[in-house]
Amino acid sequence: MTYLSRMPGLRGRLQAMTCLAGVFCIAAVPQGARAATGQNSQTPTAKPTVARPAASAAPRATARAVPVATAPRAAASEDISVTSSRQALNGGGGMMRLETAPHTVQTVAKEYIDMRAPTSTALDLIKNLPSLSVSTPDTAGMQGGMIQVRGLTDLDMGLMVDGAPAAAAKYMAENIDSENLEEVNVTPGSSATDLPVMSAAGGVMNERSHTAAQKFGGLMDFSYGTNNMSREFLRLESGEIGNTGVRGYLSFSNTHSRSWMGAGINERHHLDFGVQKDWQNGSTAKLFLSWSNENFTIDNYPTEDQFYRYKHTGQGWGRSADPKNDNYWLNSKDHWNQVFLTAPVHIVLPARLSLDLQPYFTFGQGYDASPNNPISNADGTPYNGPNQTGFFLQNDTRGVGTVAKLNYQIDPHNMFSVGYWYENTYTNQSYPSGDTRADGGPPSPWYLYKTGAFTFGQNAGYEIHSLFVQDTAKYLQDRLVIHAGFKFAMINSWTSSFANIDGTKVKGSVCDNSGDFQHCSNNRTEPLPQLSIGYTFNEHHQIYINAEGDYRQPSAVDMGWLPSGPNFLKNQYSIKEELGYRYHDKYIIFDMSLFNYNVTNRIVNQYVGMNSFSPMSIGGQTMRGFDAMISGRSIHGFSPYASIEYLHATQDSDVMDPYTNTLIHSKGSQAVMAPRVMANFGLTYTYKGFFANGSLHYTGPQSVSIAGDQRMPGFVTNTLSLGYHFPAFLFAKSPTFRLNFTNLTGSIVRTGPMGVVYSRNDLNSHNVYSSSFAPTLGYGNSFMVEPRFTMTGTVSTAF
């Protein structure tokens, strides 16, 4: 994609019809680049004149044209001079964007995405936003990672692609390739009334996909880097097909790498497909489809003792290269196929009406394999039998849903909407085990499942029916924006177990084992109000307030870990308030927000191995603080960026430790996974074809146990990008070479806990491994560690 094509409205401003002398002519000047204003939009963005489908179910942002200055009329009446001015929407080289929504919005733009390595996931791209601390286990884009946001986690967030629920943060790479990302925005602590999210106490992260080009062409790149990483990507653009207004694209990528810690081979194949149709009356339809196939080695996540042993002696905890060892890397594989589909449609109707529809669908199937040798025999002697493999097998996990919203323009100031959201999510999971193959690889989990070699399985899911209404009003020449909305969610959750006893499948219920195929269900309702007000004093200053309620329930997979009784965890509920201020001029963009959260029935997860987690409730929690971000527009090629957050988060309840059957007096202590200070700094430099970007991130110390007896020290991470855009040559419109570096100093630091534990002295819920050594019992939390120094080189071009 050329530089001109990334600047909405620029091409339009250059359109002027030349006329013969003495003939009247009209200069056609389409509406210019527009700053995003936030009618509660989750993806405010500059929009071209031709209407595009909303990137989410949220109402589309209303845009204001940048004033167009007309030069004084010349003496000759037939001469017309048209000039214009455009104020950049981005600061810090795309690390920050000018926002006007009446709630916090933090966005990384295409300008910044194009400087990063193509292996970057959305989590890699948002690491420098002020409200987030992000942990990622690899740099090859095979996996996602974890997010900490204002004392909450990614499990408390809605993670979306084009406004539809997508894969969890741990599997972020399944969603979309970075080349097909236009922007990633985060609304910490806020979600639109009409978004299909059931878990948004921590806000929403939305990835906006590539818009198909108007002309035939494409993009290709090749990357090679540390850990024998190689990646190929190709995107083909159809351009407009005839005069139908339909255009689309298809892309494919292939990635291969070694594990950075220990032995292991990782592979990923990914396909993205998009198609779009625009009508002259403003109606639009868009479809995005992705397919991902992954085979990666499941990381060992070290305990505190393992981490310090590696830091002080160099003895790692990675998988073994010995096929005879239970911890052989091939015996610890994640094999997964994922399909994601969303198709938003905006239909303009008569009588000031419009209709938005957004159906979506996800389907996944696969397994996590894990070494399963016991530590010892029943009599206490060392185990010396054949190596065993255990599985977390998901035969079927799927979600289907739709949002339907009818909009009515009451008058020039009020847009009223009423809508309905439906979602059905289901998982079928079991835990078969068997003898490891002679070559050290896992047996077929589906064969073990069919032959009954498992002890417990679970069918679980939920169904959501939700009604919502909202109104967005604008007054005082659109300087005052008021949004009010209310959503009422009705949820039916259910779970049932099936077991294998003496070779016979016996199906029953965790609630009632008296009959076959019975299941335990639970019905709940959640009222979710929202009110946000924004006022723009003049072209430089804006203030806003936002208040809303959000909830979180255990996911269908989470409910698979509740086999022992009929009780469902209570839904988590949050009440949140924000007060914000924004300022911008031709030099800087500044954004600051103060926030207060009150959370009841706080749900956290404990890591139980095999990339799986078990939910638990720890009572109430309060979070207060502020975040601020500032960036400079380009001055002599330099664009700086900085952000900071201060967070005071406390545990409001004492918690019972079921491992020791003791009450933890945690009330008033620092909440888990809630560092008090986070800070970021970035600097972008461009000169002619050369570009560079460097960033630093700091996260302060944090508690990783409810008892407060295990803590993780603060840490610093860093990245560097260097590149050059060469002149167009033959078919290559934008030949570019870039180098991307991570962890330049080679720091050995923990970047986040895998979950929450009651106490550092509690027995870890799974065996831990260190290379070729026998499994041992672990205590306390497990951690993600910053991967070692990496360098990736990429050659790319549009054509």
Side-chain angles (χ1 to χ4, degrees):
M1 183 181 293
T2 65
Y3 179 67
L4 288 177
S5 68
R6 290 201 299 267
M7 298 178 62
L10 179 57
R11 200 172 284 169
R13 293 196 189 96
L14 297 177
Q15 291 177 349
M17 300 177 62
T18 57
C19 305
L20 296 175
V23 179
F24 290 104
C25 61
I26 299 175
V29 184
Q31 190 172 4
R34 298 176 288 183
T37 65
Q39 259 194 58
N40 204 35
S41 173
Q42 291 297 317
T43 55
T45 181
K47 301 184 180 185
T49 303
V50 178
R52 300 191 304 188
S56 72
R60 293 179 294 174
T62 301
R64 286 179 291 185
V66 175
V68 178
T70 305
R73 188 175 179 82
S77 60
E78 68 270 15
D79 294 334
I80 297 179
S81 175
V82 179
T83 62
S84 66
S85 63
R86 178 182 185 271
Q87 196 173 63
L89 298 177
N90 299 331
M95 299 181 75
M96 180 180 179
R97 192 184 65 182
L98 175 63
E99 308 284 357
T100 59
H103 54 259
T104 303
V105 184
Q106 300 167 2
T107 303
V108 293
K110 188 66 173 174
E111 180 183 358
Y112 175 69
I113 296 172
D114 285 344
M115 288 188 285
R116 298 298 302 274
T119 56
S120 300
T121 66
L123 297 190
D124 295 308
L125 299 172
I126 63 174
K127 281 186 174 182
N128 296 107
L129 297 181
S131 298
L132 310 177
S133 180
V134 177
S135 305
T136 50
D138 79 301
T139 57
M142 297 289 181
Q143 305 178 56
M146 302 179 71
I147 305 173
Q148 295 174 348
V149 50
R150 292 181 175 179
L152 301 170
T153 71
D154 52 85
L155 298 171
D156 302 289
M157 297 181 68
L159 305 177
M160 327 288 283
V161 172
D162 286 344
K170 189 68 173 62
Y171 304 101
M172 189 63 65
E174 296 170 0
N175 296 342
I176 186 172
D177 277 329
S178 65
E179 292 93 340
N180 295 326
L181 278 178
E182 291 297 316
E183 67 180 28
V184 184
N185 71 60
V186 177
T187 57
S190 179
S191 66
T193 302
D194 50 9
L195 273 182
V197 290
M198 71 160 196
S199 177
V204 173
M205 186 191 79
N206 190 50
E207 304 172 74
R208 185 164 67 85
S209 68
H210 172 69
T211 299
Q214 298 281 358
K215 295 183 178 180
F216 175 81
L219 174 72
M220 60 182 178
D221 61 54
F222 172 76
S223 302
Y224 185 79
T226 311
N227 303 320
N228 197 29
M229 193 283 297
S230 61
R231 184 179 185 273
E232 305 84 34
F233 173 87
L234 175 65
R235 183 176 72 221
L236 299 176
E237 305 268 8
S238 71
E240 185 172 352
I241 302 174
N243 295 318
T244 63
V246 177
R247 59 192 191 276
Y249 67 90
L250 176 68
S251 73
F252 179 77
S253 69
N254 174 67
T255 311
H256 171 93
S257 75
R258 291 188 290 106
S259 298
W260 73 271
M261 167 64 71
I265 302 298
N266 309 296
E267 294 179 323
R268 172 181 180 266
H269 312 288
H270 187 88
L271 181 148
D272 288 333
F273 171 74
V275 64
Q276 181 164 333
K277 162 72 174 175
D278 301 320
W279 287 268
Q280 291 186 354
N281 71 343
S283 298
T284 57
K286 182 177 181 179
L287 179 143
F288 176 77
L289 169 69
S290 69
W291 167 78
S292 187
N293 170 265
E294 296 175 330
N295 284 278
F296 62 82
T297 304
I298 300 173
D299 293 323
N300 269 331
Y301 296 104
T303 62
E304 187 176 81
D305 290 341
Q306 287 178 304
F307 170 77
Y308 279 116
R309 182 167 63 240
Y310 171 70
K311 189 168 185 176
H312 296 150
T313 69
Q315 179 184 317
W317 58 81
R319 301 297 181 185
S320 173
D322 181 6
K324 297 181 180 180
N325 190 276
D326 185 33
N327 194 36
Y328 182 50
W329 67 269
L330 197 58
N331 199 30
S332 301
K333 295 291 287 187
D334 180 292
H335 172 77
W336 193 256
N337 279 281
Q338 180 77 21
V339 174
F340 172 83
L341 170 69
T342 183
V345 178
H346 176 71
I347 304 173
V348 176
L349 301 172
R352 295 183 289 183
L353 292 169
S354 63
L355 177 67
D356 287 292
L357 297 172
Q358 176 145 23
Y360 55 88
F361 171 77
T362 61
F363 173 81
Q365 185 181 65
Y367 62 83
D368 290 334
S370 177
N372 201 39
N373 285 1
I375 291 180
S376 61
N377 296 317
D379 60 2
T381 58
Y383 176 78
N384 56 4
N387 287 338
Q388 298 288 307
T389 303
F391 292 93
F392 175 58
L393 173 65
Q394 288 186 280
N395 292 302
D396 179 2
T397 176
R398 64 178 182 265
V400 60
T402 188
V403 177
K405 183 180 62 172
L406 182 64
N407 312 296
Y408 178 59
Q409 189 74 48
I410 299 174
D411 56 39
H413 303 290
N414 283 273
M415 171 68 78
F416 176 79
S417 302
V418 59
Y420 169 69
W421 167 41
Y422 172 80
E423 180 173 293
N424 186 294
T425 299
Y426 165 82
T427 182
N428 178 302
Q429 57 200 48
S430 59
Y431 317 96
S433 62
D435 291 346
T436 307
R437 297 198 321 250
D439 64 358
S444 167
W446 288 284
Y447 173 78
L448 296 174
Y449 177 82
K450 290 179 182 179
T451 58
F454 62 94
T455 57
F456 179 76
Q458 189 83 19
N459 292 321
Y462 60 82
E463 187 174 61
I464 298 176
H465 297 269
S466 179
L467 300 172
F468 61 86
V469 294
Q470 61 182 14
D471 183 81
T472 301
K474 295 185 176 183
Y475 299 99
L476 304 178
Q477 298 178 332
D478 291 352
R479 289 186 298 163
L480 176 64
V481 178
I482 303 172
H483 173 85
F486 181 79
K487 178 161 60 177
F488 188 73
M490 297 160 283
I491 312 106
N492 173 255
S493 303
W494 56 271
T495 178
S496 63
S497 63
F498 52 94
N500 180 289
I501 302 174
D502 298 330
T504 304
K505 292 183 180 179
V506 178
K507 299 197 175 186
S509 166
V510 296
C511 295
D512 181 4
N513 288 317
S514 61
D516 292 346
F517 300 98
Q518 296 184 17
H519 66 271
C520 174
S521 63
N522 184 282
N523 292 297
R524 292 195 175 100
T525 59
E526 297 290 354
L528 306 170
Q530 183 180 50
L531 174 65
S532 55
I533 303 173
Y535 182 70
T536 303
F537 293 95
N538 53 41
E539 61 178 330
H540 299 300
H541 302 272
Q542 183 198 21
I543 61 171
Y544 62 87
I545 60 172
N546 179 63
E548 62 182 84
D550 278 306
Y551 81 106
R552 172 192 167 189
Q553 68 180 51
S555 70
V557 174
D558 284 340
M559 288 188 294
W561 294 103
L562 304 175
S564 59
N567 293 326
F568 288 83
L569 293 180
K570 292 182 179 180
N571 285 353
Q572 173 181 295
Y573 196 86
S574 306
I575 298 175
K576 304 168 293 183
E577 302 91 24
E578 277 186 331
L579 172 63
Y581 167 75
R582 295 188 178 107
Y583 173 84
H584 72 95
D585 58 29
K586 65 180 180 179
Y587 300 110
I588 67 170
I589 304 173
F590 175 76
D591 197 327
M592 179 178 180
S593 62
L594 293 85
F595 55 86
N596 177 71
Y597 292 17
N598 294 102
V599 181
T600 57
N601 302 319
R602 175 83 171 98
I603 298 175
V604 295
N605 277 25
Q606 181 180 6
Y607 185 59
V608 295
M610 291 190 295
N611 274 348
S612 302
F613 300 82
S614 176
M616 55 191 184
S617 181
I618 61 172
Q621 192 169 305
T622 299
M623 296 88 79
R624 297 185 176 98
F626 71 88
D627 53 41
M629 55 196 309
I630 186 171
S631 65
R633 304 183 193 276
S634 181
I635 303 175
H636 301 294
F638 289 96
S639 304
Y641 165 85
S643 67
I644 188 171
E645 177 176 277
Y646 173 77
L647 172 67
H648 182 74
T650 57
Q651 176 72 21
D652 297 338
S653 307
D654 294 332
V655 178
M656 179 63 70
D657 182 350
Y659 293 97
T660 61
N661 198 30
T662 58
L663 184 66
I664 300 174
H665 297 289
S666 54
K667 185 175 181 179
S669 63
Q670 181 184 9
V672 290
M673 302 176 70
R676 284 198 170 92
V677 177
M678 294 188 294
N680 301 276
F681 176 76
L683 182 64
T684 300
Y685 176 70
T686 57
Y687 178 73
K688 295 183 178 179
F690 176 77
F691 61 88
N693 174 272
S695 68
L696 289 171
H697 170 85
Y698 170 75
T699 293
Q702 58 184 290
S703 172
V704 297
S705 69
I706 298 170
D709 57 357
Q710 187 173 23
R711 297 182 62 81
M712 194 185 86
F715 63 90
V716 175
T717 59
N718 52 73
T719 65
L720 177 65
S721 303
L722 303 170
Y724 190 82
H725 298 295
F726 294 91
F729 179 74
L730 298 178
F731 71 90
K733 296 180 180 179
S734 59
T736 302
F737 174 72
R738 65 183 182 269
L739 291 172
N740 296 96
F741 305 86
T742 65
N743 196 3
L744 280 80
T745 58
S747 299
I748 302 174
V749 294
R750 290 172 287 174
T751 57
M754 285 299 293
V756 172
V757 295
Y758 291 98
S759 168
R760 70 176 304 145
N761 299 316
D762 286 346
L763 181 66
N764 205 294
S765 59
H766 60 285
N767 296 340
V768 298
Y769 292 84
S770 290
S771 190
S772 295
F773 293 99
T776 60
L777 294 176
Y779 294 83
N781 219 322
S782 300
F783 300 88
M784 280 195 183
V785 176
E786 178 73 357
R788 65 182 182 181
F789 166 84
T790 62
M791 178 179 69
T792 302
T794 302
V795 178
S796 65
T797 186
F799 57 88

